[in-house]
């Protein structure tokens, strides 16, 4: 899933270059890192990427090892449920018996081997059970920006039954979740048989799969236009809200592989990756800063908790606790017609 | 007096380009603005500029209307007393009966006409009294960054006897000074007969005037080297500490012409001049900022009281109350050997 628009990473991310297409945590882009991790588990010929029309060319350039026909192009961004429906329908067309794992292309993972072991465990359960298998992350802090998964009985290894998907909690509630040991973070990664996910989607989101099935039945040359018409009828919805919260018998594999969803510039501070290889920073009485400045020296005097991102045409200075509001900058740029900066 | 090194205006000001040589408050540099104000009072042929050796070429380029021999070059920066001694000795050589006014080249003045009237009043008193005449600024706030002048009897017009020069006060004391109506800010501008200032300097700072007189007596071709040797013996000292605080019979003309010594980036915020003509600023929940960014858009999110200065190779982010500490950045750059940024 490489469909994000990444407004929270402005000014580094732009309309034409969202987060997943940027080298955020290393010299490779997040999309390339995601693919690098997966080719150890599945052959590149069996990796599909779903992305927005505007980013398809960049995705193909960044992933020369992935066959062009494996890049599935969405005509609009409609959140994860339509994205996964499109992927499931295309996989079913190629191999109705396939089991697949779906992962976001814009997350950082520190321990690739642990990640791969977790993926394989999830795929094994998905292959043998008629269930969706999600990957839950062992929480390391009472994060309020993630949904949580309450685990039930253990089935073996690191796999449990899911008791409930819970929405983003308050800080007090998040603390109780973490202290209880019964909750995992919802990472947005899933393994399932193609038949299982299509069954769930048809049952809970027929308004998504119906138009998509009809569009994909169109002849090849008319398919893009048909898909555009289909997406125009779809209300954006996430797989979590649209399906997982309603589904029965879901399993969860507990993962602990140094996961970071890089949800905002503040998350980069936790990774301590922001200024790796960048220009010098001079800090006079300045603490807890996140600086991303590839070329220009940054001097901080008497300021704490700042995020500083330096791009060739624009500069962002944001309080760490306001990292989610970077999208408001993008909104104001749109309103003021400052399109050159989008 | 154009001798400042301007480390508090880094990264806009640099070793080779201190504040007075920069266009800070308008499209003209502060030195040019200062000269523009003075040519309404005195012919350009009678304006002298004292500057550091490193900046003499730039001064000449910026002031084509000033004869080259009117640019007096100091081999070292030794504060204002040696600078004024050098100027007084040169003026005395040309015209022993001259009266002159000395002003810093790096101040902003909003009302040039009121400034000119004040200068003329100071010159008139200086011509007729054997006294130093200083210009005091009607205070508009309890500033703690300036020295104050306590005024005594009024002599006429806006001219008073000086009761005392007082050092930079505490905030509480500054409030009392302003409330009393008896105090003016010390602007560092003076008018005096050449004989008067040389008499004061010889009496209070013979260790300055002695070496300078001997150096200037050297033949023209040996004079620069002689001056360098003389400056090497001089301990830097201001005219305020070295002379004015000890002098008797000093007069003060009260000036009210929108004076700003632009002592730091914070002062520019008061002038509301920083971002005039600069790139767009997008402020989301951000207040009281001072942005100087000629070319790149600056977005601020959830941050108050910031000074942001954007230069081609470096970026400064400083709390407004820490504007004086920008010089610490320059010190750290020196210590870390990051000379390219100095």
């Amino acid at each position: 899933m490489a469909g994000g628009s990444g407004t929270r990473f402005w000014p580094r991310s732009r309309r034409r270059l969202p987060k997943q297409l940027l080298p955020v945590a290393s010299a490779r882009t997040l999309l390339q890192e995601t693919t690098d991790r997966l080719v150890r588990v599945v052959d590149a010929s069996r990796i599909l990427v779903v992305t927005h029309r505007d980013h398809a060319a960049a995705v193909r350039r960044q992933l020369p090892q992935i066959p062009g026909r494996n890049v599935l192009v969405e005509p609009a961004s409609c959140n994860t449920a339509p994205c996964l429906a499109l992927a499931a329908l295309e996989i079913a067309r190629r191999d109705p018996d396939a089991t697949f794992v779906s992962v976001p292309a814009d997350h950082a993972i520190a321990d690739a081997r642990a990640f791969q072991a977790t993926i394989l465990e999830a795929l094994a359960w998905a292959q043998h059970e008629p269930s969706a298998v999600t990957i839950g992350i062992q929480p390391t802090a009472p994060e309020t920006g993630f949904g949580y998964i309450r685990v039930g009985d253990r089935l073996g290894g690191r796999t449990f039954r899911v008791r409930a998907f819970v929405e983003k909690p308050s800080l007090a509630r998040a603390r109780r979740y973490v202290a209880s040991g019964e909750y995992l973070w919802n990472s947005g990664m899933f393994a399932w048989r193609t038949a299982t996910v299509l069954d769930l989607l048809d049952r809970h989101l027929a308004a998504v799969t119906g138009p998509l099935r009809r569009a994909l039945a169109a002849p090849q040359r008319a398919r893009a236009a048909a898909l555009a018409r289909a997406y125009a009828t779809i209300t954006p919805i996430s797989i979590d809200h649209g399906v997982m919260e309603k589904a029965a018998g879901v399993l969860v594999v507990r993962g602990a592989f140094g996961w970071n969803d890089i949800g905002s510039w503040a998350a980069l501070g936790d990774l301590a990756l922001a200024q790796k290889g960048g220009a010098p920073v001079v800090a006079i009485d300045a603490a807890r800063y996140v600086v991303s400045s590839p070329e220009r020296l940054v001097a901080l005097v008497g300021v704490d908790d700042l995020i500083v991102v330096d791009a060739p045409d624009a500069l962002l200075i944001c309080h760490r606790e306001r990292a989610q509001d970077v999208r408001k900058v993008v909104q104001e740029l749109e309103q003021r017609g400052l399109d050159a900066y989008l």
Side-chain angles (χ1 to χ4, degrees), chain A:
Chain A
M1 294 188 290
S5 66
T7 54
R8 279 172 297 183
F9 274 83
W10 185 92
R12 189 79 63 239
S13 67
R14 300 295 173 100
R15 267 187 189 161
R16 296 273 155 195
L17 208 61
K19 181 180 66 163
Q20 64 272 23
L21 300 179
L22 288 170
V24 172
S26 78
R28 303 271 287 165
T29 68
L30 290 173
L31 174 66
Q32 288 173 324
E33 289 191 333
T34 302
T35 309
D36 293 346
R37 279 191 295 272
L38 291 173
V39 290
R40 303 296 182 95
V41 179
V42 61
D43 192 79
S45 67
R46 296 173 73 89
I47 295 176
L48 279 71
V49 184
V50 189
T51 193
H52 186 278
R53 181 164 56 191
D54 290 349
H55 308 134
V59 166
R60 291 197 178 94
R61 268 197 309 276
Q62 292 195 5
L63 301 177
Q65 73 276 42
I66 304 271
R69 69 188 193 104
N70 284 16
V71 178
L72 310 187
V73 177
E74 292 191 289
S77 296
C78 288
N79 211 327
T80 49
C83 163
L84 286 168
L86 183 68
L89 289 168
E90 175 62 19
I91 292 167
R93 197 182 63 76
R94 299 189 194 183
D95 177 359
D97 286 331
T99 301
F100 73 95
V101 61
S102 60
V103 302
D106 58 355
H107 293 178
I109 284 167
D111 185 345
R113 279 172 186 273
F115 168 77
Q116 287 146 5
T118 308
I119 291 290
L120 288 171
E121 184 166 332
L123 282 168
W125 282 98
Q127 224 155 4
H128 298 112
E129 299 282 330
S131 301
V133 182
T134 182
I135 291 169
I137 307 292
Q138 183 75 45
T140 53
E143 288 285 342
T144 57
F146 305 140
Y148 283 69
I149 296 167
R150 188 173 182 194
V151 301
D153 296 338
R154 181 172 173 177
L155 298 183
R158 285 164 300 188
T159 304
F160 301 78
R161 292 197 187 284
V162 169
R163 287 180 66 177
F165 282 83
V166 233
E167 299 211 16
K168 296 174 184 176
S170 66
L171 181 59
R173 195 176 286 264
R175 287 195 176 121
R176 286 201 299 277
Y177 288 174
V178 174
S180 74
E182 284 181 33
Y183 290 81
L184 302 173
W185 290 335
N186 182 355
S187 72
M189 298 186 241
F190 304 95
W192 32 33
R193 296 182 71 90
T194 306
T196 303
V197 61
L198 285 176
D199 192 50
L200 284 167
L201 284 163
D202 281 333
R203 196 178 320 161
H204 299 292
L205 289 175
V208 170
T209 50
L212 289 186
R213 282 184 198 277
R214 284 189 293 277
L216 293 174
Q220 174 69 41
R221 61 188 166 73
R223 199 169 295 157
L227 212 52
R229 283 193 301 275
Y231 267 79
T233 71
I234 292 174
T235 305
I237 186 164
S238 73
I239 193 74
D240 298 280
H241 278 79
V243 173
M244 301 313 293
E245 291 170 7
K246 299 163 186 165
V250 181
L251 308 184
V252 59
V253 184
R254 189 180 60 206
F257 36 73
W259 175 80
N260 188 318
D261 81 328
I262 320 184
S264 74
W265 282 112
L268 270 190
D270 303 332
L271 284 176
L273 286 166
Q275 192 58 358
K276 220 182 201 173
V281 173
V282 174
I284 310 286
D285 297 331
R288 298 179 299 284
Y289 49 83
V290 179
V291 171
S292 173
S293 176
E295 290 176 1
R296 302 187 323 143
L297 180 141
V298 175
L300 305 169
V301 182
V303 288
D304 290 336
D305 297 299
L306 286 193
I307 294 163
V308 179
V309 184
D310 187 63
D313 59 343
L315 170 68
L316 169 70
I317 302 167
C318 176
H319 194 282
R320 275 184 79 146
E321 290 176 7
R322 300 294 299 275
Q324 298 294 336
D325 288 333
V326 171
R327 64 179 71 181
K328 291 186 182 170
V329 174
V330 175
Q331 286 162 8
E332 182 162 334
L333 292 173
E334 285 168 353
Q335 279 159 21
R336 287 169 62 177
L338 294 165
D339 288 15
Y341 300 100
L342 290 173

